[in-house]
Amino acid sequence: MKTTILTALALTTAMAGSASAHATLDQRSATLGETTKISLRVPHGCEGEATHTVRLTIPEGFYNVKPMPKAGWELSTTTGAYATPYMNHGTKMTEGVREVTWSGGHLEDGWYDEFTVRGSFANAEAGSTLYFPAVQECANGVADWTDTSGGEVANPAPKLQLVAGDAMAHDHAGHGAHAGHAMEAEAGPVTLGALTLSDGFSRATLPNAPVGGGFLTITNNGDSADRLIAVETAVAGHSEIHEMAMEGDVMRMRELEDGLEIPAGETIELKPGGFHLMFMKLQQPLVEGETVEVTLTFETAGTVTLPLAIGAPNAKTHGHGDHQHMDH
């Protein structure tokens, strides 16, 4: 096993037995064959002390895991072989992330935070329980949430229940939507409440490029306005909603701090040179022919995760191969 962090802990220090709340997952269930975000909820420290490190163990059945960076915390992972290989977009995966560590932070005992990863759930038995053991480390103690017995114990491991879902065609297990909103095939429109999201794409970047962009079309079929208020992606340290507009004779880009309004009965197009998603502090280049998953949060409709097809560096719209429109 390849590792960048410790893979075992001698959990003989004080546990959080007297704590008023356990560490749990934000999600109580997940659909087999789909991809989603898993957020570990940390409600307190270790016997009154602040937490400086959080470790999350990735169970078998949850693969192609990508952790979300957190400002002020150092992110590291342990990789290892899967007990059973998984197919991801036609590619056989034999190993992946098995443990994620956020360290060097400071979460006071009286504070709350969430630590997030994203991955796919393999087809398994519906109704089974999947455990995500977690450990908090503090200056003089450990809060251990690793007991997977399922009983009434002082340190239960965070868990969720797997529910049945339709298998995705063509091995597109990575195209499931967050919060139970089913996705169609990559190029198809997605319905989220009164909204229809379609034609999502991104542009390939150079290996060391610090930023990337995301584009899509949003149609509001409802009777009241909604607002896109947040965007997240695991490939970027930070993401924002931006607008490019002329100020006099100068084209300037600015963040839409209050989000982007989607008026009732109207269509808003996020495109190069106008409204767009900005991926900042890229963790890896965006490669033409692949996809990048983004999670969009709307004020009313809620949250959904979309795969954006990565086109050429000068792509102007969603498309593949010879059907893609380019700048000349």
Side-chain angles (χ1 to χ4, degrees):
M1 177 176 288
K2 301 175 290 184
T3 180
T4 56
I5 57 178
L6 297 175
T7 58
L9 291 171
L11 298 177
T12 57
T13 52
M15 299 192 305
S18 62
S20 60
H22 302 147
T24 57
L25 299 182
D26 184 50
Q27 300 77 5
R28 293 188 177 183
S29 64
T31 303
L32 289 167
E34 291 192 354
T35 297
T36 191
K37 288 166 53 178
I38 298 298
S39 296
L40 175 70
R41 302 185 295 190
V42 179
H44 54 69
C46 317
E47 301 290 349
E49 290 188 330
T51 298
H52 62 66
T53 298
V54 174
R55 302 182 188 276
L56 182 67
T57 298
I58 306 301
E60 285 291 337
F62 192 53
Y63 69 100
N64 195 26
V65 171
K66 298 179 180 179
M68 182 177 293
K70 288 183 67 67
W73 297 73
E74 181 179 348
L75 176 64
S76 58
T77 60
T78 298
T79 60
Y82 295 130
T84 302
Y86 303 104
M87 294 301 296
N88 184 53
H89 299 281
T91 300
K92 185 178 182 180
M93 298 187 67
T94 60
E95 65 175 11
V97 174
R98 307 311 307 271
E99 187 179 57
V100 180
T101 299
W102 295 266
S103 60
H106 185 84
L107 180 62
E108 290 285 353
D109 180 60
W111 296 353
Y112 168 90
D113 206 345
E114 294 183 350
F115 299 80
T116 300
V117 298
R118 181 169 176 76
S120 298
F121 288 95
N123 290 321
E125 184 179 354
S128 60
T129 299
L130 208 60
Y131 291 91
F132 289 74
V135 173
Q136 297 170 240
E137 296 182 18
C138 303
N140 298 295
V142 171
D144 161 28
W145 311 108
T146 60
D147 193 311
T148 60
S149 66
E152 294 294 328
V153 295
N155 60 327
K159 63 183 179 180
L160 54 74
Q161 188 175 50
L162 299 176
V163 298
D166 295 331
M168 301 299 285
H170 308 297
D171 291 325
H172 277 68
H175 287 176
H178 178 54
H181 296 287
M183 295 277 294
E184 296 181 16
E186 176 185 317
V190 174
T191 299
L192 179 69
L195 305 178
T196 299
L197 295 79
S198 60
D199 299 330
F201 75 100
S202 184
R203 286 173 158 180
T205 62
L206 295 175
N208 295 317
V211 299
F215 317 95
L216 72 154
T217 299
I218 306 172
T219 299
N220 187 345
N221 304 298
D223 297 326
S224 59
D226 206 335
R227 184 176 294 272
L228 175 62
I229 57 175
V231 56
E232 296 178 356
T233 176
V235 303
H238 181 61
S239 298
E240 298 176 350
I241 306 162
H242 278 216
E243 176 188 24
M244 292 190 70
M246 293 296 296
E247 294 184 7
D249 296 329
V250 180
M251 178 70 78
R252 298 188 184 278
M253 182 169 61
R254 66 185 181 95
E255 179 188 3
L256 299 178
E257 296 183 357
D258 296 327
L260 174 61
E261 183 179 18
I262 316 297
E266 294 191 17
T267 295
I268 300 296
E269 186 178 2
L270 283 72
K271 61 183 180 180
F275 298 122
H276 61 279
L277 311 176
M278 178 65 74
F279 311 140
M280 310 172 78
K281 298 182 180 180
L282 283 178
Q283 309 294 314
Q284 62 192 59
L286 303 180
V287 179
E288 183 176 357
E290 297 184 357
T291 60
V292 56
E293 291 185 337
V294 297
T295 299
L296 305 177
T297 301
F298 294 88
E299 199 168 56
T300 300
T303 301
V304 67
T305 300
L306 302 172
L308 304 183
I310 303 174
N314 58 349
K316 294 181 64 177
T317 187
H318 177 279
H320 297 279
D322 295 336
H323 299 288
Q324 187 151 0
H325 300 284
M326 304 292 181
D327 292 322
H328 294 288

